[in-house]
Amino acid sequence: TTGISPLEAMLIGKEEYVVAPEVQKDDSNTNGRDRNTVPSVLHDNEINVENLLNDFQLFCNNAVRIKYRPGMGNHCESVGFGPFILTSAQKKIISIAIDLFFHKLVPVRIQILKSRQLGVTTLFLVFWVWICFQVDGYTCMFIIDKGAHLEEKRQQLLTWIEEAVDKFPGFPAVKRRGSKVIELTNGSRILLESAESPNPGTSEMLQGLHQSERPKWPDGRSGQVKASILPAIPVTKHTLVVDESTAEGFDDFKRDWDRIHEGNDEF
């Protein structure tokens, strides 16, 4: 009924474990490029596009609505839609990405072995929108296991972008929408591919890549993407590769995880 496992329930309240989402507090901490720019909670009439681009948490709270899963926090005790309030786990993950991407200006390569229903895929899809809103001409690609899942994510991305633009007209709007591309008026693009496609992502110039649930991809597809797409992403600032999945056994994702922890992989 709560959406967490018995083990997670036992660990609630222990500081060394992140098992339960936090409810948004009214504080002055920000996760944006300049942590001293704006408070994370402002009145609607005080918020402008610049505020939202400087503070990811503010952007999530005010420009993005998500479907709530009961049990994730006091703000979503029942089903329905509401503002995207980051959980404690999501804050920790995205703070690392923001620090590397916007502050340290290094190539960002992240692999995440996640628990189920943690909201990592949603978190980074919103993050791609936030990046594309502020970095002109940015191109990122999202790859997920099945075509049906891809269409669901595509519709969600379009909804987020259009609702954000309606509420804050200063954001770049959708210029072109295809079955596998969403292009904004500032030239930034989000490309969408299913791992079921025969040649996902070939011949594209990418700055960002998001691989979701790689262990569920068709046999051999992970190696194909690793050989054709990853080497084409430049090792420069403002490049970001995210590889996130739940555990699915001893597969290519697991082998990469082992190499990372042995210090033999760029991630």
Side-chain angles (χ1 to χ4, degrees):
T1 57
T2 63
I4 61 176
S5 70
L7 176 60
E8 288 172 325
M10 289 170 55
L11 298 175
I12 289 177
K14 295 186 179 181
E15 291 296 327
E16 63 268 35
Y17 295 100
V18 179
V19 297
E22 294 175 348
V23 176
Q24 175 70 32
K25 297 181 177 65
D26 291 353
D27 56 31
S28 59
N29 294 328
T30 67
N31 283 339
R33 291 170 293 179
D34 184 349
R35 294 174 185 272
N36 298 316
T37 302
V38 290
S40 291
V41 178
L42 296 173
H43 298 295
D44 286 346
N45 59 1
E46 297 175 332
I47 298 173
N48 57 42
V49 168
E50 183 179 359
N51 298 149
L52 297 171
L53 295 182
N54 280 329
D55 188 329
F56 181 69
Q57 186 167 297
L58 189 74
F59 176 79
C60 292
N61 290 357
N62 294 276
V64 178
R65 292 195 318 142
I66 65 168
K67 185 176 181 179
Y68 287 153
R69 183 170 69 86
M72 284 298 291
N74 294 336
H75 62 285
C76 50
E77 292 180 346
S78 59
V79 296
F81 291 88
F84 182 21
I85 298 175
L86 300 180
T87 67
S88 58
Q90 289 169 330
K91 289 178 186 177
K92 289 186 176 185
I93 293 168
I94 210 63
S95 292
I96 294 171
I98 288 172
D99 184 47
L100 295 172
F101 191 93
F102 285 110
H103 294 159
K104 293 186 171 63
L105 298 176
V106 297
V108 186
R109 307 290 186 263
I110 300 176
Q111 187 184 41
I112 302 173
L113 177 60
K114 64 183 184 179
S115 59
R116 299 186 185 279
Q117 300 299 324
L118 187 62
V120 170
T121 304
T122 298
L123 175 69
F124 276 102
L125 285 175
V126 174
F127 192 54
W128 291 120
V129 173
W130 191 60
I131 290 176
C132 287
F133 274 167
Q134 59 191 298
V135 181
D136 294 346
Y138 198 85
T139 300
C140 59
M141 173 174 286
F142 173 72
I143 306 179
I144 199 168
D145 54 345
K146 297 179 180 179
H149 295 162
L150 182 70
E151 179 58 24
E152 177 185 342
K153 302 304 182 186
R154 174 183 173 274
Q155 292 297 332
Q156 184 64 80
L157 284 165
L158 285 169
T159 298
W160 287 336
I161 294 169
E162 290 171 346
E163 287 184 351
V165 172
D166 286 343
K167 191 172 181 181
F168 302 97
F171 283 135
V174 175
K175 177 181 179 181
R176 177 168 64 101
R177 68 183 73 195
S179 60
K180 293 188 176 182
V181 60
I182 299 173
E183 183 175 356
L184 304 180
T185 50
N186 68 346
S188 291
R189 298 184 303 157
I190 301 175
L191 309 179
L192 303 112
E193 280 282 9
S194 162
E196 296 173 329
S197 301
N199 295 296
T202 55
S203 74
E204 291 290 351
M205 295 179 60
L206 302 176
Q207 290 84 46
L209 175 65
H210 182 170
Q211 303 175 113
S212 184
E213 299 295 349
R214 186 153 55 101
K216 298 178 182 177
W217 293 7
D219 290 344
R221 191 52 41 82
S222 175
Q224 180 186 9
V225 169
K226 193 182 300 182
S228 62
I229 298 181
L230 281 176
I233 299 177
V235 186
T236 61
K237 67 178 182 179
H238 288 166
T239 59
L240 170 62
V241 179
V242 177
D243 185 16
E244 47 88 0
S245 179
T246 49
E248 289 287 334
F250 288 83
D251 47 33
D252 198 36
F253 183 91
K254 171 65 164 58
R255 287 188 289 272
D256 287 343
W257 178 269
D258 290 340
R259 281 196 293 269
I260 291 168
H261 286 271
E262 293 166 0
N264 299 319
D265 191 287
E266 67 171 336
F267 278 61

